[in-house]
Amino acid sequence: MTTTTTPAGGQTAQQTTERRDWAALERTYYQHTFNRQLVMERGEGVRVWDANGTVYLDLVAGIATNVLGHAHPRVVQAIVEQAPKLIHVSNLYINERQVELAEQLYQVSGGMRSFFSNSGAEANEGAIKLARKFGRLHRDGAYEILSMDRSFHGRTLATTAATGQKKYQETWAPLPDGFRQVPFNDLEAVKVATTAKTVGILVEAVQGEGGIWPASHAYMQGLRQWCDEQRLVLICDEVQAGMGRTGTFFSWEPMGMRPDIITMAKGLAGGVPIGAMLAAPRADLFEPGDHGTTFGGNPIACAAGVATIRTIVEEGLLAHATAMGAYLGERLEGLATKYPAHITSTRGVGLMRAFDLAEPRAQEIMDGALARGVLITNAGPATIRLVPPLIIQPGDIDEAVAQVDDVLAAL
Ligand SMILES: Cc1ncc(COP(=O)(O)O)c(C=O)c1O
């Protein structure tokens, strides 16, 4: 073993040839916020390798984040070209990549302007602030946001208050005021809950963490109409469903309506941390001093974002996601038919798929798939969620389904 000792007395990892027990070190040095064992070392396309050299087919994709898979050459090249030029510059100055990414989002959103942050929660925080400004200016100081049961909007206090799942909220009371949840896909519930205090409606057109539940088109159109009638803002959280995952750039696109505010993150920069909050002219109300960020819209993240969107558009990945999503859906239906005692239903849009289990055995199924070289995730104890990269091929889907079939057969 060759090591050098740092002035603080620790060992520098790069200069240590002895294998380190990363899982044990993680337990020592990292807060216990995640229950995890597997040490991931590198990835390429739809595959990822652990520190022992075991390869996995990755249908988790950073939870709907590595939309172009791992180490996509165009994302890598964008980062490598940008890094020597400018890694970071304050938002006191314009950076070219940030403007380019905003320009692309303006085009794909039909004329909405961007504000960049670092995560989905932060993007939603920006949307909440913007809605409150709208309320101050146009609705007598209204500030309350209606969001949906089973929704997920992030882990900050405000986005926890907006999240419609008690398990994320219970421990953190008191949560910030100004948030109420109503049942999803129920327009009447929104109407009944709207008061003089209400300023906006926050909705995922396809709920992700809650278990892949698409909104009905009529519901989304009804929300739009209600917002117009009542002078409210309609916010679509596209953090998980956006970036082509459902086969269109935004998941609300086929639903016959347009939001006033869109939030994005996850896949926007192909795996580099970024968030975005887009505003249509009606809600584009921020002025200098209203909102800000040190890192948001950083040149590296935006360079990766520009490359990611270009690749999705130029390589026809929206149509590909639609086709692969339909195929994955069919194959999951096949599993449901074969294992009626285990799978009670399947659903999804594009490459955002789920199946429900008769019993809360999601962890067992994930563990079984992992042991067979396939990474899948869950949405609660009785739902399996599949959010693979948009570049996935039919052969990969066949391989994943065969392994999950094997797991189900062994249950
Ligand atoms: C729909 C939705 N909104 C917001 C978030 C929060 O994003 P982040 O973890 O980047 O803060 C998530 C994360 O899973 C999400 O799925």
Side-chain angles (χ1 to χ4, degrees), residues 63 118-122 124 152-155 204 206 208-209 237-241 263 265-266 274 385:
I63 312 188
N118 308 288
S119 67
E122 258 187 277
N124 282 329
F152 186 84
H153 298 295
R155 302 284 200 150
E204 293 161 87
V206 184
E209 299 294 306
D237 182 337
E238 288 282 312
V239 167
Q240 187 159 157
T263 55
K266 286 198 180 277
I274 192 167
R385 177 168 42 149

Side-chain angles (χ1 to χ4, degrees), residues 1 36 44 107 135 147 153 196 216 219 267 296 301 325 356:
M1 181 176 82
R36 52 190 181 179
E44 196 183 317
Q107 284 157 1
S147 59
H153 298 295
S216 79
Y219 174 66
D356 287 331

Side-chain angles (χ1 to χ4, degrees), residues 220-239:
M220 294 299 286
Q221 289 165 19
L223 289 181
R224 176 69 272 167
Q225 199 182 341
W226 185 245
C227 286
D228 290 340
E229 285 169 18
Q230 300 292 316
R231 230 181 318 133
L232 308 171
V233 286
L234 181 55
I235 308 165
C236 276
D237 182 337
E238 288 282 312
V239 167

Side-chain angles (χ1 to χ4, degrees), residues 126-378:
I128 293 160
K129 283 175 74 175
L130 190 52
R132 287 189 176 191
K133 180 148 192 197
F134 182 95
R136 210 162 277 275
L137 294 177
H138 300 308
R139 217 176 126 78
D140 297 329
Y143 60 91
E144 191 176 71
I145 305 277
L146 298 180
S147 59
M148 307 307 152
D149 287 347
R150 234 174 24 208
S151 62
F152 186 84
H153 298 295
R155 302 284 200 150
T156 60
L157 284 173
T159 57
T160 295
T163 289
Q165 299 187 55
K166 287 281 165 278
K167 67 177 177 188
Y168 293 115
Q169 296 182 325
E170 279 158 355
T171 313
W172 316 115
L175 289 170
D177 189 18
F179 300 91
R180 275 170 77 192
Q181 280 84 57
V182 292
F184 182 56
N185 259 334
D186 182 345
L187 185 60
E188 209 41 47
V190 167
K191 291 185 176 177
V192 169
T194 302
T195 68
K197 283 197 282 181
T198 311
V199 73
I201 296 169
L202 171 59
V203 63
E204 293 161 87
V206 184
Q207 289 188 329
E209 299 294 306
I212 317 291
W213 296 99
S216 79
H217 294 198
Y219 174 66
M220 294 299 286
Q221 289 165 19
L223 289 181
R224 176 69 272 167
Q225 199 182 341
W226 185 245
C227 286
D228 290 340
E229 285 169 18
Q230 300 292 316
R231 230 181 318 133
L232 308 171
V233 286
L234 181 55
I235 308 165
C236 276
D237 182 337
E238 288 282 312
V239 167
Q240 187 159 157
M243 289 302 286
R245 176 145 302 281
T246 60
T248 47
F249 194 83
F250 296 110
S251 68
W252 49 263
E253 278 176 48
M255 299 185 175
M257 44 64 69
R258 304 183 62 78
D260 300 304
I261 301 175
I262 300 171
T263 55
M264 305 179 70
K266 286 198 180 277
L268 177 52
V272 179
I274 192 167
M277 190 271 288
L278 279 55
R282 177 171 184 259
D284 192 342
L285 300 171
F286 277 159
E287 296 164 297
D290 278 344
H291 200 40
T293 167
T294 295
F295 284 122
N298 161 289
I300 297 282
C302 289
V306 168
T308 303
I309 294 182
R310 260 189 209 145
T311 306
I312 289 175
V313 172
E314 290 172 11
E315 300 190 3
L317 289 176
L318 299 180
H320 184 72
T322 303
M324 291 304 99
Y327 183 58
L328 178 57
E330 244 172 64
R331 295 300 317 267
L332 295 178
E333 271 302 319
L335 286 181
T337 308
K338 190 168 172 189
Y339 297 102
H342 294 312
I343 300 181
T344 55
S345 63
T346 75
R347 63 181 166 274
V349 195
L351 285 171
M352 210 172 166
R353 298 270 154 191
F355 59 87
D356 287 331
L357 303 165
E359 291 172 278
R361 300 176 82 174
Q363 188 61 53
E364 229 178 297
I365 292 174
M366 289 189 291
D367 292 345
L370 179 77
R372 290 164 177 82
V374 176
L375 303 181
I376 53 177
T377 188
N378 65 327

